[in-house]
């Protein structure tokens, strides 16, 4: 089992969710975050003073999936999240030791 | 706020020009001008009291949790609409039975439906100027008082009551319960005959709302989790600036509430009276707010903004029973006692396990009782043996408070009980958890997923 | 709301004391008092209608998504400012050409710039009391109507229109389009001659705003994603309490809008009329809100707060064309029909793929049409052969609705088209995604990163 | 806004019917009607200015960061309460020493405590109609001006000042500093004798607030992090819609502020004057808002909403010193200059390392100075040698501005210094970080953990 | 050391926190999130148009614990978070390389 | 590659960001959270009733970095985030299997 962490542009959420469902992802959790990266934010002027908005709104998607899905999921996210413009985001894959569904107590891939 | 039928008390002066000026024909105000002035007072007073509906809505929206804010907004706009319609169709006639329209003399007016129309087909008024003011303006003003009574109830019962049973209660409260009680005094019924004095309605409006809320709160029970494990678990409201806005709106509206209750502006003495009322009303709110602020600082080491807001409102409720007679300094005192009442009564209700979400019971019921008693020190009505003594007046005030409380509480309790048996008045635990907005309204108050980042 | 030039219709009575009272010299109101009363009505009415600008701002701020809230606030304060200046410089003279200042007799007033100054160098009024009211107060009142027209447009086109083209449109709307249309009736032009009746402007104000919004919405297109994949994708607004506050503000302001349109307060019959108008206006809003509430409960199984808010406003728009003649119960009905219209028209517009962010078209245009037609049942103007029949009046109302609609829609459409060709009226997709606040205003409505935790 | 004692200037006309009408007995307004009209103007003006307290509260709540919003709400309701009580007990008598009650003739009134009561035990007025208006209504109106002065201070010093020292300052400001300054003009003191002209208080109210704020800001220092590393680090406020709401409230309240300062409504010329004031006040705000909008667009490439809001307010402050004499177009200009001042002064203060959280110094102090100077072009008071020349009037205006500035700044600075030595006026760095809500109020403005998901 | 990620229903937070304290968890961090899973959200009608609320409010709990606590913690969460109804959430266990307490510089299990 | 999770006091964000840039961190994502730990919150009184604010506002920083940066990054965060007072927060290091930049499809350390 792997944990996929994907940082995406917020307006891509719905499209990605639909793409993931198609390839069998059964659940995920989304968190609103702010990202800092090459996409360097922008300079704003507020009441005559310049300031840099360094953090850009992003969504963080987290989902635990069976090893077999790592490639299709990465691919699906990469395809749908891509706009080709700076700030499209990242996909990270982390190892997971175990998973449990609280409602049933199921563990392992059953739990996903 | 009394119809001319009540002549005892200082307010009785209002519609009759004071003799000192009547002689002075060159400066005297012509009858028609008096009519327009009085009407204008009702209209301005009326729209200011109408504005209090927004005040209640914002105060309550700020003091409930986000998940119940849409519901609270819905209830406030709905109850204001229902109050308007029920008071028009039924309540107005119950409140003012006049001479011949009592069902039970002095106690219950006839709930005949009357469709008000002020101008006949030729555009001539259907009422005469001799009345001293346009009856439409009076109607408009009285309607707003009725609506205010209903607004009081919604705050206490927030976050757990079902929408429709609440609205049915509102319909009966504004169509019958409030008009019956108010008719005892302002309709020339038993309280007015007994010499009770309640200028703008500390008892007749505010404590009626408070008693109805109390009955509901008892039957409804506290919010889940509020009194867990023998402890009080505060559930802070969603938005302090909205609660503050609501309080300022109510403060503003109160000038209409108390000032308009002079019922007349068309003479020098009425203009003086309305001015004094404005000044006293304002300073009583100041007294209430400051008392609560100083007291929470002393008791808790920090100022509690929600108590300050409640304190200002309690000051306003306290002065409402007699905003004309006190001096400015007396007004500060009367308001300050209201503020003190709030600070002690809020935790007291918690100890009694009565869950009053916005503090409406301390503010409207308890400060209302205090204000009604305080009247006696400044104003004594005339009885058979002349002006009453202060202690006699206090007895009468207590009699009025008791009578109104008994009737309102029993009637409200019975009605809530009926609604409970018929439909249930409380939402399910699940619905309470997810919030009434999702459960009953279908649009959350702040529905976006994260600020500014929602994709849909 | 008619200048004295229009004598047909019940409102025409307003400035002329009714004979019944004229004889009674002892109670008659002196001419100067009448002047002051009338002026006061305009001033109070005017500041209440001004307050509606805040109502529109809050309603719209609550019904757009967070990322566009600063923009909506900016537009509302800017359009109100522009309306004030354009109406002063141009619009007022176009609206009231008087006898000799028409460019096209009965159709288009002369847009001469006039700089209003009421007192001469010695502090004496430059106008005479004989006019019945201070022309400055009338100007102030009329200006607010003009601004209200512009406010209506901004809600419909929210979340995708560019700031400056919108403001240019506003300048032309408030300087020319609205004043021309309004001159047809209130300036003594063609509609007034035809016997059209529109007391406070269901058609002349509200539907003008609605038609201008409709033309813009068609040319501008829907928000990206709203009608994706052949389906409607709702985009819930950011804050229900702000939307509720806005509705209450508008409700309050409407007493000025309709009550002030009596144009006179200085007689018993005028005071009666204004009172009736206040009462009817209030109850029509109640009817609209309740109708929408009950209907959404029945249709969808849940109450839709935004529909209730729209319903209240639709009730207000519906009664605006004739808030004086109906009885209270008729007023409830007229308002309730407005509420029903909203509930059905909102999804209908969606089906037509017209994206009206706040529901301004159902509320102001469609309920405005309904209200204008409903006039005929209560009020018939006098034609050459005496008072018209109901069906004759309906024809004239339809004629007025059609004429106003045609002109406003065509003029607005042409203007929007011109702006589109010259500057473009729609922001880029990218800007729409990130929100107009970040794109065009540079300060987000809620700019903090997390509540209370921002370090900068 | 002048007591009758001041006869120079156009406003002096207000209480005395203009001769043109006095002859015409049939239309003349009887003395008692004049009394009621004037009183009514004070009452309406007073409640509108009271409403400005809510405007300041919302504007400031919107322009501070979330972590300080409850504190800002608390300060605003507390200062309004304190102002009411201090002005009643001390300030009113200091402001209006009348003939015999000066401590230092023309400079400092006697701070005797007076308990105001308008009706005697029999319900007869204790003042006579000859005064032209109810003294209670005047008191109510003046009290609101005093409170407005205090409101101005709280915005500048937000986010870092301790609650109680601020409130002590408020008590002295509203009980002594403001009343002393205002007595120089409105109490018939030295400025009024010198021929200074400040209709509704650009200098006497707004710049007094501004100077007091400036003194505080200098002693208090900037918010931590605002001027880090030689750069300005903006700290955007929490809620643009609340700031917009606050601005609209202030705009509305200003009709009372300026219109009520005519002090009389009971004649044709007064009604004309109040009308012109309403119209001019409105359009000056429009001018200020638009100027700021266009300027920020040009300078920064984007419209800055907070500047537009400040611009509208600066327009209002600018016209306040003379809202009657200018024509409409002149009023637009006067307001627009106010808007321009704001756009340049805000960054200028930043360069001076003076941290004014809401822009109160540019808006109230600088635009107030501009407005006071601008008076001279339209209004010249009468000196020993007849009406003064424009340049003479400018000197007198500058003298007044200087005198008021000097006294207010020095007195405020001394008082702030005293408070600093006694209690400290600034919260600890830690408290500033976590926010004043958590540190001093104990309830955060938006206390929920996530919207709608809080379990407690 | 392991990182426990638990997705729970929001109103269970307090109960879970108390259960965790009892078994020796000394710290955790909670983030508000929205989840998508079998609990399929619901259909709402807004202004006459139906739309699906696909994401349900959830809380994400994260805590780093010594290996020895993995079973008791999982068990404690599973027990208290369970309502038996769909959407009760998940528990994931991830390996952690190291931990440090910023205040003291302590590392390893000392730092938790 | 490692995932660094740092729980910090909110007002330290800007300082930490600047410190991280200096040592070559190219991106990170920040999430607002609430923490529970030794820093035990505080007791408030609301309307006369005491209650404990158990959760303290924290920011959670997440960044994936090459192994070589783990020590300097930990050090940089530890130094700048430290106030010496309770509640300064934690730094956790987790193993990462892979990373991908959505915009370019780059993977591995290139993607960071
Ligand atoms: N090393 C990293 N660890 C965690 N998140 C990162 C990292 N690098 C980038 N991100 C996240 O990904 C987002 C996009 O990265 P950015 O460098 O702006 O654009 P791109 O990926 O197109 O080069 C950033 O806003 C940030 O949230
Ligand atoms: N594979 C997954 N990875 C991450 N989070 C998940 C995953 N599956 C479910 N979740 C989260 O757990 C929550 C509950 O899951 P759900 O399928 O709705 O109910 P249940 O666990 O009772 O079957 C979801 O809302 C989602 O936030
Ligand atoms: N075991 C843990 N797992 C995850 N987060 C933790 C853990 N322990 C502490 N934290 C987080 O670190 C923050 C600081 O920890 P705390 O114990 O309060 O202070 P300190 O680290 O100074 O001893 C907590 O608020 C919490 O968010």
């Amino acid at each position: 089992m792997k944990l996929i962490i994907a940082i995406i542009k917020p307006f891509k959420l719905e499209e990605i969710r639909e793409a993931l469902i198609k390839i069998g992802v059964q659940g995920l959790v989304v968190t609103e975050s702010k990202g800092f990266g090459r996409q360097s934010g922008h300079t704003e002027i507020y009441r005559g003073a310049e300031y840099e908005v360094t953090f850009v709104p992003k969504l963080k998607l987290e989902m635990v999936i069976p090893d077999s899905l790592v490639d299709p999921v990465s691919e699906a996210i990469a395809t749908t999240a891509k706009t080709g413009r700076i700030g499209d985001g990242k996909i990270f894959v982390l190892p997971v030791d175990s998973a449990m569904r609280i409602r049933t107590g199921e563990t392992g891939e059953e739990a996903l | 706020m009394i119809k001319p039928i009540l002549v005892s008390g200082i307010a009785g002066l209002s519609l009759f020009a004071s003799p000192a000026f009547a002689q002075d024909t060159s400066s005297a105000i012509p009858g028609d001008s008096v009519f327009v002035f009085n009407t204008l007072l009702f209209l301005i007073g009326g729209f200011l009291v109408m504005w209090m509906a927004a005040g209640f809505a914002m105060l309550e929206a700020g003091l409930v949790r986000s998940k119940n804010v849409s519901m609270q907004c819905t209830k406030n706009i709905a109850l204001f609409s229902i109050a308007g319609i029920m008071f028009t169709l039924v309540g107005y006639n119950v409140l003012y039975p006049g001479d011949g329209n009592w069902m039970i003399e002095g106690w219950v007016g006839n709930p005949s439906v009357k469709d008000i129309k002020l101008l006949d087909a030729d555009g001539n008024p259907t009422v005469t100027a001799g009345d001293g003011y346009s009856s439409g303006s009076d109607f408009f003003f009285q309607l707003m008082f009725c609506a205010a009574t209903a607004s009081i109830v919604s705050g206490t019962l927030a976050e757990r009551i079902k929408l429709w049973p609440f609205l049915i209660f509102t319909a009966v409260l504004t169509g019958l319960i409030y008009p019956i009680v108010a008719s005892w005094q302002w309709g020339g019924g038993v309280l007015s005959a007994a010499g009770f004095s309640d200028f703008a309605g500390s008892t007749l409006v505010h404590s009626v709302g408070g008693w109805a809320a109390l009955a509901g709160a008892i039957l409804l029970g506290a919010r889940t989790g509020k009194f867990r494990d023998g402890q009080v678990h505060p559930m802070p409201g969603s938005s302090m600036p909205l609660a503050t806005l609501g309080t300022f709106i109510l403060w503003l509206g109160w000038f209409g509430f108390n000032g308009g209750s002079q019922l007349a502006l068309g003479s020098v003495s009425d203009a003086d009276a309305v001015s004094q009322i404005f000044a006293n009303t304002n300073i009583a709110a100041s007294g209430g707010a400051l008392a609560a602020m100083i007291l929470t600082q002393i008791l808790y080491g920090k100022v509690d903004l929600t108590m300050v807001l409640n304190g200002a409102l309690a000051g306003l409720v306290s002065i409402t029973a007699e905003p004309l007679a006190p001096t400015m300094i007396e007004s500060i005192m009367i308001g300050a006692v209201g503020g003190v009442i709030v600070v002690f009564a809020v935790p007291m209700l918690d100890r009694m396990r009565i869950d009053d979400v916005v503090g409406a019971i301390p503010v409207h019921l308890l400060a209302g009782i205090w204000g009604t008693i305080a009247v006696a020190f400044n104003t004594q009505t005339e009885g058979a043996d002349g002006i009453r003594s202060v202690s006699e007046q206090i007895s009468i005030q207590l009699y009025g408070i008791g009578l109104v409380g008994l009737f309102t509480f029993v009637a409200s309790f019975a009605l809530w009980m009926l609604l409970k048996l018929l439909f249930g008045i409380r939402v399910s635990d699940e619905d309470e958890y997810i919030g009434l907005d999702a459960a009953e309204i279908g649009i959350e108050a702040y529905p976006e997923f994260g600020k500014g980042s929602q994709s849909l």
Side-chain angles (χ1 to χ4, degrees), chain A, chain B:
Chain A
M1 275 178 303
K2 299 290 179 193
L3 169 66
I4 307 280
I5 302 180
I7 320 286
I8 61 161
K9 289 191 171 163
F11 69 88
K12 286 293 191 178
L13 176 64
E14 198 52 28
E15 227 175 303
I16 295 175
R17 192 186 64 88
E18 281 161 17
L20 289 174
I21 288 176
K22 281 207 196 97
I23 57 169
V25 172
Q26 309 232 351
L28 56 80
V29 62
V30 190
T31 311
E32 211 205 333
S33 305
K34 298 233 167 171
F36 154 73
R38 278 155 218 235
Q39 181 197 9
S40 60
H42 51 287
T43 305
E44 287 293 354
I45 301 180
Y46 177 68
R47 299 178 72 70
E50 289 206 2
Y51 68 109
E52 235 191 315
V53 178
T54 21
F55 289 96
V56 185
K58 298 283 169 194
L59 290 184
K60 187 172 66 169
L61 274 53
E62 288 163 300
M63 69 212 84
V64 175
I65 49 171
D67 293 352
S68 60
L69 275 180
V70 169
D71 286 346
V73 162
S74 302
E75 164 112 19
I77 296 177
T79 317
T80 42
K82 186 169 178 166
T83 66
R85 304 178 55 176
I86 204 159
D88 276 352
K90 308 274 147 118
I91 302 170
F92 304 122
V93 183
L94 279 76
V96 173
D97 288 358
S98 71
M100 183 202 285
R101 163 170 292 125
I102 290 172
R103 174 166 52 92
T104 58
E106 284 160 294
T107 53
E109 299 202 352
E110 301 295 289
L112 303 182
Chain B
M1 190 180 73
I2 3 231
K3 300 288 280 192
I5 207 161
L6 173 67
V7 292
S8 52
I10 204 162
L13 292 166
S14 58
L15 291 178
F16 312 105
S18 54
F21 296 95
Q23 285 95 318
D24 178 3
T25 47
S26 71
S27 78
I29 305 180
D32 284 7
S33 283
V34 172
F35 183 97
V36 177
F37 277 128
N38 294 347
T39 298
L40 190 54
L41 180 71
F42 280 123
L43 293 179
I44 295 174
F47 77 64
L48 286 175
V49 182
M50 178 271 155
W51 185 224
M52 293 172 72
F56 283 110
M58 291 302 108
L59 180 66
E60 295 173 16
L63 291 180
V64 302
R65 290 164 294 170
S66 295
K67 63 183 181 183
N68 297 314
V69 169
S70 283
M71 172 56 105
Q72 216 54 27
C73 291
T74 305
K75 272 180 195 152
N76 272 281
I77 201 155
L79 74 83
F80 185 75
S81 300
I82 289 172
I85 290 175
M86 288 305 295
F87 188 75
T88 301
L89 297 184
V90 187
Y92 185 57
N93 291 308
V94 172
L95 207 172
Y96 296 120
D99 278 341
N101 203 18
W102 291 98
M103 236 165 67
I104 306 173
E105 182 72 29
W107 290 94
V108 186
N110 233 331
S112 54
V113 174
K114 195 161 86 181
D115 195 10
I116 297 155
K117 172 97 177 67
L118 286 175
L119 299 186
D120 65 20
D122 302 325
N124 292 324
T126 56
V127 293
T128 59
D131 281 329
Y133 53 85
S134 171
S135 55
S137 68
D138 175 54
F139 166 79
F140 179 72
F141 185 66
Q142 303 300 341
L143 185 155
M144 297 307 163
F145 276 66
C146 180
T149 309
S151 297
I152 293 165
V153 183
S154 83
T156 297
L157 309 178
E159 306 206 288
R160 60 210 192 276
I161 199 168
K162 280 187 191 169
L163 177 60
W164 290 100
F166 170 77
L167 294 180
I168 296 171
F169 182 88
T170 298
V172 180
L173 179 70
T174 57
L176 289 176
I177 299 177
Y178 165 77
I180 288 174
V181 171
S183 78
W184 297 348
Q185 176 80 354
W186 295 330
V190 289
L191 282 180
S192 137
F196 184 63
S197 178
D198 185 5
F199 193 87
S202 285
T203 285
L204 296 171
V205 176
H206 294 280
S207 79
V208 165
W211 287 115
L214 180 64
I218 291 171
L219 262 178
L220 193 58
R223 285 166 292 173
T224 310
K226 168 91 188 193
F227 304 117
R228 232 178 333 111
D229 320 327
Q231 271 189 303
V232 181
H233 293 263
M235 298 170 163
S238 53
S239 170
M240 292 306 119
L242 285 188
T244 305
L245 175 65
T247 303
F248 271 118
I249 292 175
L250 288 165
W251 193 322
L252 171 59
W254 230 287
F255 297 120
F257 200 96
N258 287 356
S261 293
Q262 175 66 11
L263 304 181
L265 180 70
S267 72
V268 167
S269 66
D270 282 317
D272 271 335
V274 176
S275 302
Q276 177 87 52
I277 292 169
F278 269 52
N280 284 353
T281 299
N282 184 66
I283 208 85
S286 299
L290 273 188
M293 190 162 81
I294 293 168
L295 209 55
T296 53
Q297 176 73 45
I298 292 172
L299 290 177
Y300 308 134
K302 280 182 183 179
V303 170
D304 186 328
L305 172 58
T306 65
M307 289 286 205
V308 177
L309 301 178
N310 277 177
L313 298 178
L316 289 163
V317 171
S318 301
I319 201 70
T320 292
E322 183 47 285
L324 176 59
T327 66
M328 299 288 294
I329 291 176
E330 288 167 1
S331 299
I332 297 174
M333 301 298 173
I334 291 170
V337 172
V340 171
I341 287 173
V342 159
V343 175
F344 288 112
V346 165
M348 190 192 74
L349 281 174
D350 277 346
R351 275 193 298 279
M352 296 165 67
R353 298 299 181 245
I354 293 169
D355 187 12
D356 177 1
V357 177
V358 305
I361 294 171
V363 167
H364 298 277
L365 176 52
L366 301 183
I369 290 175
W370 151 244
T372 307
I373 296 171
V375 169
F377 299 102
N378 275 302
T379 307
Q380 301 86 35
T381 55
E382 206 176 320
D385 319 324
I387 299 289
R388 294 187 169 85
S389 71
V390 171
S391 65
E392 279 172 346
Q393 189 67 41
I394 290 184
S395 317
I396 294 174
Q397 298 299 93
L398 290 174
Y399 167 71
I401 293 164
L403 199 64
V404 169
L406 192 73
F407 173 75
T408 310
F409 186 82
V410 171
S412 301
F413 197 90
L415 181 54
W416 285 124
M417 184 61 93
L418 189 72
L419 289 167
K420 189 171 177 172
L421 295 174
L422 288 179
F423 317 103
I425 54 176
R426 185 165 184 137
V427 300
S428 69
D429 275 19
E430 177 89 16
D431 283 359
E432 199 181 336
Y433 279 136
I434 61 170
L436 304 190
D437 290 2
E440 297 211 313
I441 301 299
I443 178 75
E444 289 179 76
Y446 308 101
E448 290 175 286
F449 177 30
K451 294 176 202 144
S453 65
Q454 199 204 27
S455 68
L456 288 180

